[in-house]
Each structure stands twice: as C-alpha cells, then as structure tokens.
C-alpha cells in the first residue's frame, strides 16, 4: 500500500495511558484452533490486522461460521463455531495468506492432516520466504507438499501422517507449531527439540483446549492421540495486547526527552519479553504494574519514562525472545551512548524482508551508520539523526521503526509505503497521536 506517513521532530514529551491491539501470534492461533474445536469459542479483543484477517478469511473459506462483533477498528470479538478436527471443508481455490508467514506455516501443518487437497499462497513478498523449514519436517511426518524451490505456493495432497522426533536447528515458533499442529492428525507421539525459547502460544492454547502437551527440558512433546483422535475443547479467551506492538511506543517514550507513558494489559509471556530486558539493560526506566495471569498468559501494565540510555550487547536467548523487536531496538541504540551490538540474529534476514540490510539502508538515509554482520549489526551512539525520505519496503515493523526514529530527527521524516503498518498494528498512528506524537497520514 502506498500510504505516506509524515513525522515531525518531537518537541514535547510523549504522555498518557494507551492500549495497543491484541497479540498477532495468539490471534492467528485462536482463529485456527477454535475453528477445529468441538463447540463454540469466544475470542475477545481479537486483532483485526492484515495478517490475521487473511487467516480469518481462510478459515471461513474452509466452511467455518464466525460471528464478528466489530467493537472497534482495532479489536473484534469473535464467536467461532468449531467444526471438529475433521470438519473443515475442501477449499475451491488457493488460500491467500497475503504477507503472513505465521498464517502460512501454521496452516500448512493443519492442512497437511486434512483428507482434501489444498493450495496455500500469498503475496509476492511471502512467496520469497523460505518454506523448506516446514515442508521438510512435515514431509518426514508423511505429508505430501509441493513447493517449487522451497517457496510458496504450497500444494498439499492428502496423506496419512505419523509422529516424528525433530530437532530444529533454529528456534522457530512457526516451525515448532507447524509440526505440533500436524501432530494432532498423526499416529504416535510428536517430539520437537528447540534450541532456544521460541514463543509457546501454540502449546499453551492446546493445553487450554485439553491436549496434554508437555515440555521436558528443550523438548516439546505431543503424546499419541487417544482412541478416536484428539478432541479440542472450545476456547474462551481475551487476547492480551501484543508486546511486539507495545515495543514501538515504549521505545518512543524511552528516547523522546521527558516522556512518560503507560501501556495497559500487555502480554508478558516470558518467551516474548526480550525487548524489556534489552531496554532495561540500556538503563531505560521501566515498571510493570498489575501483573496477573489471564487465559494461561501473563499480563501487566507497562510504564516507561525517558532516561539517558547507554549501549548494550544482545545475543542468544534474548534474541529469540525479542526477534521481532530488534528493528525498533536498533532505533533505541541510535540514542544510546556507546556501541550497541546484536549477534545470533541471522533469522532477521528471512523475515518479511532482510531486516538487517534493509533497515541499515533506510536508517542510513537518516544519518545512522549501522554496521552489518552475517548474524546481526552494531550501532554507535548517541547520534544526531537527520530528517529524510525512507521506505518501509512493505514491512510493517520497519515502517513503525522508521516512524519512531522520525520523532528524534532534526527535520521532517516521510515514511513511504507505510500502509503495511496495518499488517500487525491497525491504529498505530492514532495511538501515537494520543500520546502527543507529531505524526500524521498524508493520504
Ligand atoms: C511467530 C514466530 C516468529 C516471529 C513471528 C511470529 C509466531 O517467527 O518472528 O513474527 O507467531 O509463531 P519464527 O518462528 O520464524 O521465528
């Protein structure tokens, strides 16, 4: 989408209490799994973003009835009539995941277990992303998936599945989830080894639905199905606010002088809070209040205040727990004293775009020298940024990161191709405006 976002230097502090939309990972999973439950599920504060609405439309096209109460443009309440694990109906055309890697990889696991053929496809951007990481383990489980050069479209033919013991070489929640979801349809036990703490929303949701998945050390184990197969209980869930979305206003408040903001009801699942650790390590003033559990997930209100930041080094598990937040963390490092550095983050190169080289190229236009390495980058700060024209490259998180950078530039920043922000964060600009941020859509 070719919308343009204009950001002016922020001369006043950011202040206020806001909420951000529901978690994208949980929203994808909720609509998929509830559709396969026996009975009616209620999912509140579901995220109506580009990526998740693609998944919703796919599930509807598989014959599932979903009643949608559009509470607001950023939160929908869904009532989903589950059809049971074998109740999906054969689609009549290719299923369009748009830009959503999570949608495609998780649905591939579920569709591999169906008794009908299907084709999963998506945008040109999604067609460039690596799919062998799921087609190979699913193939080892007996699935028949054709993918030219390991890329979408994925053509899936029905075949019986059996359990698998699989060692992932990258800590990917999408790969883990695709295998576990296919495992629901497989004979025998399914075991996945994860080399790092990949987000565990699939495991938690399946447990809440009555599937006794267990974790033993670094292994996630789905036991053999009982006679007659698994039966998923319906979900009753309020989706927590997405910590990955909260990261943008959090960093904005940490770098705009004298700011103090609170973001309410943010998901604090330990596999997702790497960005909080990274910011705290840089000296950011961050407080969690009202810490509680809801629907098997930890939630809390986050307050962050501006402070002088210093550099930090990030690697290992923190990277896994904050992989999607590294672009906005990079913006924070431009304002931190010293050389900040991230390594072990090669996965950034296979996200919506190569988030290392594309971000380096765009931040350079604002005066940031980001040094690239194969598995990360380094930034020496604090830097004086200049305004300029930058481009999201149709990557929502890069679009929002560049917009936040624009708040601390000298001169206006124009973010081209910023409509993709709605792939994960509808209402981003309006929420930032509510905090007093000087940004607006041009058209
Ligand atoms: C996601 C997993 C992560 C993350 C993505 C969402 C998920 O990807 O980057 O935005 O919902 O499972 P990987 O599994 O490729 O690490």
């Amino acid at each position: 989408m070719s919308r343009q976002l204009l950001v002016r230097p922020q001369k006043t502090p950011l202040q206020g209490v806001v909420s951000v939309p529901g978690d994208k990972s949980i929203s994808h999973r909720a609509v998929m799994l509830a559709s396969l439950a026996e009975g009616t599920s209620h999912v509140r504060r579901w995220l109506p973003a580009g990526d998740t609405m693609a998944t919703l439309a796919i599930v509807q096209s598989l014959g599932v009835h979903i009643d949608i109460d559009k509470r607001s443009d950023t939160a929908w309440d869904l009532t989903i009539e589950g059809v049971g694990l074998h109740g999906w109906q054969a689609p009549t055309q290719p299923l369009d995941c748009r830009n959503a890697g999570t949608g495609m990889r998780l649905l591939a696991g579920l569709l591999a277990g169906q008794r009908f053929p299907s084709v999963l496809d998506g945008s040109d951007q999604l067609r460039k992303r690596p799919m062998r990481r799921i087609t190979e383990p699913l193939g080892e489980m007996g699935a028949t998936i054709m993918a030219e050069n390991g890329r979408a479209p994925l053509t899936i033919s029905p075949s019986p599945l059996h359990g698998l013991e699989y060692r992932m070489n990258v800590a990917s929640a999408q790969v883990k989830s695709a295998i576990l979801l296919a495992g629901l349809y497989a004979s025998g036990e399914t075991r996945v080894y994860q080399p790092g703490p990949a987000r565990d929303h699939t495991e938690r949701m399946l447990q809440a639905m009555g599937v006794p998945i267990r974790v033993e050390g670094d292994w996630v184990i789905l036991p053999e199905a009982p006679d007659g197969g698994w039966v998923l209980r319906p979900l009753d869930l309020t989706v927590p606010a997405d910590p990955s979305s909260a990261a943008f206003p959090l960093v904005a408040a940490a770098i705009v002088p004298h700011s103090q903001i609170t973001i309410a009801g943010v998901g604090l699942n330990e596999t997702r809070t790497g960005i909080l650790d990274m910011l705290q390590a840089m000296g950011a003033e961050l407080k969690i209040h009202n810490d509680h559990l809801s629907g098997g997930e930890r939630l809390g209100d986050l307050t962050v205040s501006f402070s002088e930041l210093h550099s930090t080094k990030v690697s290992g598990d923190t990277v896994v727990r904050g992989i999607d937040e590294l672009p906005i963390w990079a913006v924070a490092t431009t304002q931190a004293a010293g050389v900040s550095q991230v390594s072990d983050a090669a996965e950034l190169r296979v996200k919506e775009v190569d988030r290392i080289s594309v971000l380096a190229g765009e931040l350079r236009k604002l005066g940031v020298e980001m040094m690239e390495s194969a598995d990360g980058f380094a930034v020496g700060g604090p830097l004086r940024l200049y305004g300029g024209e930058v481009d999201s490259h149709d990557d929502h998180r890069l679009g929002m990161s560049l917009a936040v950078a624009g708040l601390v530039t000298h001169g206006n920043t124009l973010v081209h191709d910023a409509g993709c922000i709605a792939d994960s964060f509808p209402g981003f600009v309006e929420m930032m405006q509510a905090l007093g941020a000087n940004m607006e859509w041009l058209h």
Side-chain angles (χ1 to χ4, degrees):
M1 272 182 276
S2 62
R3 286 185 95 183
Q4 289 176 333
L5 180 59
L6 175 65
V7 187
R8 296 192 178 86
Q10 185 68 30
K11 301 266 165 55
T12 53
L14 301 175
Q15 280 171 333
V17 181
V18 285
S19 53
V20 299
D23 190 282
K24 181 154 80 74
S25 294
I26 295 177
S27 293
H28 275 298
R29 287 158 172 79
V31 88
M32 290 178 201
L33 290 177
S35 79
L36 295 167
E38 303 274 346
T40 305
S41 290
H42 299 279
V43 180
R44 292 168 293 276
R45 261 189 125 262
W46 186 83
L47 169 73
D51 281 14
T52 47
M53 285 194 290
T55 292
L56 181 106
I58 288 174
V59 165
Q60 286 173 318
S61 73
L62 294 168
V64 177
H65 181 77
I66 303 179
D67 191 59
I68 304 174
D69 178 356
K70 296 186 179 171
R71 275 170 48 167
S72 75
D73 292 343
T74 59
W76 290 359
D77 287 350
L78 306 182
T79 305
I80 303 165
E81 303 299 340
V83 292
L85 269 189
H86 291 282
W88 279 356
Q89 286 161 25
T92 51
Q93 47 193 14
L95 303 168
D96 182 5
C97 300
R98 298 198 218 162
N99 271 352
T102 306
M104 176 167 283
R105 295 193 178 116
L106 271 56
L107 282 166
L110 290 168
L111 287 164
Q114 306 302 317
R115 295 171 183 141
F116 53 76
S118 55
V119 177
L120 278 169
D121 205 351
S123 65
D124 288 347
Q125 186 191 72
L126 185 54
R127 280 179 165 209
K128 291 189 187 117
R129 296 184 65 185
M131 292 296 150
R132 259 189 206 117
R133 52 178 59 199
I134 55 151
T135 57
E136 276 177 6
L138 293 175
E140 285 180 40
M141 296 176 80
T144 310
I145 306 180
M146 267 170 39
E148 219 175 300
N149 297 321
R151 302 280 190 268
L154 306 180
T155 303
I156 303 173
S157 312
S159 40
L161 303 183
H162 49 80
L164 175 71
E165 179 169 303
Y166 190 73
R167 284 177 180 268
M168 292 194 290
N169 49 22
V170 288
S172 162
Q174 294 177 0
V175 174
K176 171 175 64 172
S177 299
I179 297 168
L180 292 173
L181 295 176
L184 292 173
Y185 294 90
S187 60
E189 187 180 78
T190 301
R191 303 166 66 91
V192 187
Y193 168 82
Q194 43 179 359
R199 63 195 68 192
D200 61 359
H201 304 299
T202 301
E203 297 90 301
R204 283 172 191 268
M205 201 172 284
L206 283 173
Q207 279 160 352
M209 298 177 92
V211 179
I213 286 197
R214 63 182 198 278
V215 178
E216 286 175 13
D218 296 327
W219 288 89
V220 182
I221 301 157
L222 170 66
E224 176 166 21
D227 289 347
W230 294 109
V231 173
L232 303 186
R233 285 199 302 257
L235 274 178
D236 186 7
L237 175 76
T238 301
V239 180
D242 196 325
S244 299
S245 298
F248 299 100
L250 274 183
V251 168
I255 62 176
V256 171
H258 313 301
S259 298
Q260 185 177 70
I261 69 162
T262 296
I263 310 172
V266 181
L268 295 174
N269 178 316
E270 235 205 300
T271 60
R272 299 290 301 282
T273 50
I275 184 66
L276 305 186
D277 297 349
M278 296 180 219
L279 290 175
Q280 269 168 335
M282 297 168 85
E285 239 185 85
L286 237 157
K287 292 198 186 76
I288 297 173
H289 326 259
N290 190 17
D291 200 340
H292 64 287
L293 279 176
S294 171
E297 295 278 357
R298 190 180 154 211
L299 264 78
D301 301 340
L302 290 178
T303 297
V304 64
S305 314
F306 167 78
S307 43
E308 300 288 337
L309 300 180
H310 52 78
S311 64
T312 184
K313 295 205 174 5
V314 177
S315 61
D317 285 0
T318 312
V319 168
V320 178
R321 296 170 49 244
I323 188 78
D324 291 340
E325 290 66 72
L326 289 169
I328 186 63
W329 174 76
V331 173
T333 64
T334 69
Q335 303 305 299
V339 178
S340 295
Q341 195 181 338
V342 56
S343 51
D344 299 332
E347 277 294 292
L348 282 178
R349 295 199 181 273
V350 290
K351 295 296 179 186
E352 277 75 345
V353 296
D354 177 337
R355 283 184 173 159
I356 298 177
S357 69
V358 173
L359 185 63
E362 294 306 311
L363 283 179
R364 192 167 298 127
K365 297 177 187 167
L366 302 179
V368 178
E369 210 39 67
M370 191 170 131
M371 275 142 330
E372 283 190 50
S373 62
D375 69 345
F377 56 85
V379 177
L383 294 171
R384 185 184 158 90
L385 306 194
Y386 305 103
E389 297 198 22
V390 288
D391 198 295
S392 75
H393 293 245
D394 201 23
D395 182 321
H396 52 121
R397 298 200 204 284
L398 294 192
M400 289 184 275
S401 300
L402 294 166
V404 170
L407 294 173
V408 292
T409 56
H410 296 263
N412 293 350
T413 301
L414 191 60
V415 186
H416 290 281
D417 198 14
C420 60
I421 287 174
D423 281 358
S424 68
F425 197 156
F428 165 74
V429 172
E430 294 73 11
M431 184 268 329
M432 290 300 291
Q433 287 168 341
L435 294 171
N438 218 338
M439 60 174 74
E440 64 188 272
W441 290 114
L442 282 192
H443 58 81

